[in-house]
């Protein structure tokens, strides 16, 4: 039973446009959500997080939106750059330092 | 930012060999470290949680005698794959966390290939 789902395995976006990566979760106990970016043969790099008391968190070109009632979060990257091409993992936990539950990832390709 | 170093990055060895992977937090003290495994095109799967000075907590289905975890200090955790076999070939990644509600920071992973 997958508690964190990223239903799009891949996404292609043109450079300069907005990339929207989606993530759904089933466990209502989750209260801390993160997005990680991963290049091949490297570990995931933390991008941005959001706690359940907020519905939006912004950091530069990256914004994460959380819709608790729909158990849905999304990562917006604008403007998208070729260097953003990577696999993006959504992760969740039910408190700050418990193990994360990861989605399967979405491969983003930003085309110049 | 927080840096986690994982070593070695790539190991190729014969079946039956034991392999030790190190995970170090370089610029912070890690109260908790996690070990994950990733198969191709799959998500990161948690193997175990390790707190400094105590026994690791293993996820269901992970053999604790096969995957030995030691977290002897606040900056170092090791994973030893004992008597490795080809089915243990995978990408192993560690992460570390300094305190509550801080993001986990990951090492670059170790690709283990057992011949």
């Amino acid at each position: 039973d997958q508690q964190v789902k990223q239903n799009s395995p891949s996404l292609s976006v043109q450079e300069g446009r907005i990339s929207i990566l989606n993530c759904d979760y089933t466990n209502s106990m989750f209260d801390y959500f993160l997005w990680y970016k991963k290049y091949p043969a490297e570990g995931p790099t933390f991008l941005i997080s959001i706690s359940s008391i907020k519905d939006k968190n912004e950091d530069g070109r990256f914004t994460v939106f959380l819709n608790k009632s729909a158990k849905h979060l999304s990562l917006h990257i604008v403007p998208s750059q070729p260097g953003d091409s990577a696999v993006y993992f959504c992760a969740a936990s039910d408190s700050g330092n418990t193990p994360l539950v990861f989605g399967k990832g979405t491969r983003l390709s930003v085309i110049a | 930012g927080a840096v986690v170093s994982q070593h070695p990055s790539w190991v190729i060895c014969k079946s039956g060999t034991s392999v030790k992977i190190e995970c170090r937090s370089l610029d912070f003290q890690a109260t908790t470290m996690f070990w994950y495994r990733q198969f191709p095109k799959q998500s990161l799967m948690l193997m175990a949680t390790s707190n400094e000075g105590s026994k690791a907590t293993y996820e269901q289905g992970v053999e604790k005698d096969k995957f030995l975890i030691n977290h002897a200090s606040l900056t170092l955790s090791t994973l030893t794959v004992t008597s490795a076999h080809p089915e243990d070939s995978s990408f192993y990644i560690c992460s570390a966390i300094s305190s509550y509600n801080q993001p986990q920071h990951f090492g670059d992973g170790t690709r283990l290939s057992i011949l």
Side-chain angles (χ1 to χ4, degrees):
Chain A
D1 174 36
Q2 245 194 306
Q3 297 187 69
V4 177
K5 298 176 186 178
Q6 293 177 257
N7 291 319
S8 298
S10 63
L11 174 69
S12 286
V13 171
Q14 219 163 6
E15 181 179 7
R17 307 293 288 267
I18 184 171
S19 296
I20 300 176
L21 298 109
N22 293 304
C23 178
D24 297 294
Y25 61 96
T26 57
N27 189 340
S28 57
M29 297 300 291
F30 287 148
D31 60 3
Y32 184 53
F33 305 89
L34 307 91
W35 284 94
Y36 284 86
K37 175 181 179 180
K38 186 178 182 303
Y39 293 114
E42 291 184 12
T45 303
F46 169 72
L47 268 179
I48 192 167
S49 65
I50 188 167
S51 73
S52 58
I53 61 172
K54 291 186 172 182
D55 54 19
K56 177 183 174 181
N57 189 24
E58 192 172 348
D59 183 3
R61 296 186 297 115
F62 303 93
T63 304
V64 56
F65 295 92
L66 175 62
N67 182 333
K68 289 186 288 295
S69 59
K71 294 194 180 68
H72 176 84
L73 64 152
S74 60
L75 174 68
H76 292 211
I77 306 173
V78 58
S80 301
Q81 300 172 355
D84 296 328
S85 298
V87 177
Y88 288 78
F89 288 96
C90 167
S93 72
D94 62 5
S95 65
N97 63 348
T98 58
L100 294 173
V101 178
F102 283 84
K104 285 190 173 180
T106 297
R107 181 176 299 280
L108 173 66
S109 300
V110 179
I111 304 158
Chain B
V3 178
V4 175
S5 170
Q6 192 171 334
H7 177 80
S9 55
W10 199 2
V11 180
I12 303 174
C13 56
K14 292 181 181 178
S15 186
T17 308
S18 291
V19 178
K20 182 189 275 189
I21 303 169
E22 290 188 350
C23 180
R24 293 180 186 271
S25 56
L26 296 184
D27 53 357
F28 66 100
Q29 292 189 322
T31 53
T32 306
M33 288 185 169
F34 304 93
W35 287 94
Y36 294 85
R37 183 174 180 175
Q38 185 183 26
F39 291 105
K41 297 186 181 178
Q42 296 294 314
S43 181
L44 294 163
M45 298 301 296
L46 180 68
M47 297 175 66
T49 302
S50 126
N51 292 298
E52 184 263 339
S54 60
K55 288 185 179 180
T57 303
Y58 290 81
E59 294 300 298
Q60 196 171 15
V62 178
E63 299 174 58
K64 62 177 77 173
D65 295 329
K66 173 79 172 176
F67 300 99
L68 300 178
I69 290 170
N70 184 286
H71 192 162
S73 77
L74 283 170
T75 59
L76 174 64
S77 175
T78 60
L79 166 68
T80 302
V81 183
T82 61
S83 187
H85 291 284
E87 59 266 27
D88 298 322
S89 299
S90 191
F91 192 55
Y92 293 87
I93 308 178
C94 72
S95 71
I97 192 165
S98 59
S99 59
Y100 183 82
N101 251 349
Q102 292 299 309
Q104 289 181 29
H105 294 280
F106 286 82
D108 276 344
T110 297
R111 182 159 300 284
L112 177 61
S113 298
I114 307 299
L115 305 176

